[in-house]
Amino acid sequence: MAVEMGLWRAEGSQLNRIVPTSIGLESQLESYIESDPSMLGEVLLIIGRQVPTAFGGFIDLLALDETAAVHVIELKRDKTPRDVTAQALDYGSWVAGLGRADIQAIFEAYKPGIALEEAYAECFNETLPEEVNSSQTFTIVAANVDAATERIVRFLNEGFAVPINVIFFRHFEDNGAKYLARTWLVEHEGQQAAKSAPGRQTKTREPWNGSDWYVSFGEDSGIRQWADGLKYGFISGGGGKWFSQTLKNLPIGARVFVHIPKTGYVGVGTVIGEAQRFDQTMVDVGGVATPLHTLPLEGTYRHDGDAADEKAEWAVPVAWTHAVPRAEAVWRNGMFANQNTAAKLRQKFTIEQVTEAFGLDD
């Protein structure tokens, strides 16, 4: 049985019920949601409105949640219960086939001149995940809900774990003030979209070009300083296996984009040697191979217990294509950042921004 919402005005010991009205509500709900999608119960980033599909229909609203899953939001309007649920699922089947590039194109059409990565970072204060649209969630928005819609949605949601739900609003007016009341058909704790099949990852994540890597140069006062890496051509990490092991994945010839956490990108260069313990690393100084640890360094590159390889600082020699002091670091909201010392850099947005800022050809 559909849930009915009530609202009363308390006046002393008397309660006066405020009668709801749906006059003009459904025509306004789409704009309301677009302006503040949190009214749907969680933080969402709207990425498209009236999005045309490949078969002629138009999706009312598309959004991303903090996991970069896509939310298909359909307003019931005058559609029958069977029509609105079938349409939401039909649209979902089309959305499920969209790759990351398609999602970016939809957002570009919706917000020209704004990068999806920037909008996502502003909305969630996080970097856009590598996986985008790996799953979908369906939300039907209505001014009222009927028994048939309830049966269909509960059957799909509770019986088959399809992430579909109905949120309905009632509109109240009282002494010139207007109110919206909201409730969910099925108990809502933030819709959990179904997991995607592993085979879809090649479409939902940006492709890797096979050569570009992200490197985090975590400055640590007295231990690791970017001024040394800039001057002598190296990157480093250590103090624990988790910090050094990814450096060992960097192949000779890889192009690295070096980032100082909470600061920005400071260098792009080519790996010219394998990862070694810092105290065994050789770098080129004036054409002479020189032990790195013998140079006048601002950092010590020492850790407690670093006689053991897992605790030691490890370094990788790099020939800088372009590198700048810390004060000239490049950063734009939405650029890629990662806790790993080294990781494959897939994000085209970051590569393009750094390339442009550093005046690189590619």
Side-chain angles (χ1 to χ4, degrees):
M1 183 175 180
V3 178
E4 173 59 34
M5 289 179 287
L7 188 66
W8 287 261
R9 181 179 63 254
E11 295 178 325
S13 60
Q14 299 294 318
L15 289 177
N16 294 310
R17 180 163 185 162
I18 302 172
V19 178
T21 174
S22 60
I23 298 175
L25 176 58
E26 289 200 334
S27 64
Q28 298 176 29
L29 277 175
E30 188 174 321
S31 295
Y32 286 156
I33 295 168
E34 183 183 32
S35 65
D36 184 10
S38 65
M39 65 189 293
L40 297 183
E42 60 185 300
V43 178
L44 294 172
L45 171 65
I46 301 296
I47 61 171
R49 179 174 179 177
Q50 291 301 312
V51 178
T53 66
F55 48 82
F58 290 84
I59 301 173
D60 289 332
L61 292 166
L62 278 181
L64 292 182
D65 64 21
E66 64 180 354
T67 70
V70 172
H71 287 239
V72 177
I73 303 166
E74 274 298 299
L75 275 70
K76 181 176 178 290
R77 294 192 174 92
D78 297 324
K79 293 186 282 285
T80 66
R82 181 174 298 177
D83 285 344
V84 70
T85 50
Q87 188 173 68
L89 294 173
D90 191 21
Y91 288 159
S93 69
W94 177 76
V95 170
L98 300 178
R100 184 186 179 110
D102 300 315
I103 297 299
Q104 289 177 312
I106 289 171
F107 183 76
E108 173 61 26
Y110 176 62
K111 294 286 187 181
I114 300 177
L116 177 60
E117 291 84 356
E118 286 187 279
Y120 182 92
E122 182 177 345
C123 182
F124 299 105
N125 198 30
E126 296 284 351
T127 302
L128 182 68
E130 290 188 357
E131 295 290 329
V132 174
N133 191 31
S134 60
S135 56
Q136 300 76 42
T137 292
F138 314 103
T139 302
I140 297 169
V141 181
N144 55 69
V145 73
D146 50 81
T149 301
E150 179 179 358
R151 288 196 304 270
I152 295 170
V153 171
R154 287 191 182 279
F155 176 71
L156 293 170
N157 187 307
E158 300 174 344
F160 294 91
V162 176
I164 185 171
N165 208 341
V166 176
I167 181 172
F168 68 98
F169 295 87
R170 300 308 298 270
H171 180 255
F172 299 87
E173 293 189 15
D174 181 44
N175 293 330
K178 298 181 180 180
Y179 304 92
L180 280 181
R182 178 196 73 194
T183 192
W184 291 91
L185 180 60
V186 181
E187 185 176 356
H188 179 75
E189 297 180 356
Q191 295 267 67
Q192 295 296 316
K195 298 293 184 180
S196 65
R200 292 197 59 234
Q201 290 184 355
T202 56
K203 290 189 64 177
T204 58
R205 67 161 46 180
E206 286 186 287
W208 183 48
N209 61 17
S211 63
D212 288 343
W213 290 75
Y214 163 88
V215 171
S216 174
F217 196 101
E219 284 196 316
D220 190 332
S221 179
I223 296 179
R224 187 183 306 110
Q225 291 293 295
W226 167 243
D228 295 332
L230 172 63
K231 183 176 181 179
Y232 296 115
F234 72 88
I235 51 180
S236 71
K241 183 177 180 181
W242 191 86
F243 298 103
S244 60
Q245 64 182 352
T246 54
L247 278 177
K248 302 172 187 178
N249 295 329
L250 292 173
I252 294 175
R255 185 169 70 161
V256 292
F257 287 68
V258 182
H259 173 256
I260 298 177
K262 299 181 180 180
T263 301
Y265 283 84
V266 289
V268 176
T270 302
V271 173
I272 57 175
E274 295 181 349
Q276 292 185 307
R277 284 180 57 109
F278 193 91
D279 54 13
Q280 298 174 0
T281 300
M282 306 290 286
V283 293
D284 185 289
V285 179
V288 179
T290 306
L292 182 53
H293 74 280
T294 65
L295 296 169
L297 303 169
E298 295 187 17
T300 65
Y301 303 89
R302 299 300 305 270
H303 304 276
D304 291 340
D306 60 8
D309 286 351
E310 289 189 356
K311 293 289 187 179
E313 185 81 3
W314 286 67
V316 174
V318 174
W320 296 122
T321 304
H322 188 90
V324 299
R326 187 182 195 276
E328 299 175 26
V330 174
W331 180 257
R332 281 188 65 182
N333 208 15
M335 292 173 76
F336 182 80
N338 192 286
Q339 293 181 338
N340 289 303
T341 305
K344 294 176 180 177
L345 181 57
R346 301 175 184 272
Q347 196 193 70
K348 184 179 178 182
F349 176 70
T350 294
I351 296 171
E352 289 177 342
Q353 296 302 314
V354 175
T355 296
E356 180 179 355
F358 287 171
L360 307 179
D361 293 331
D362 184 12

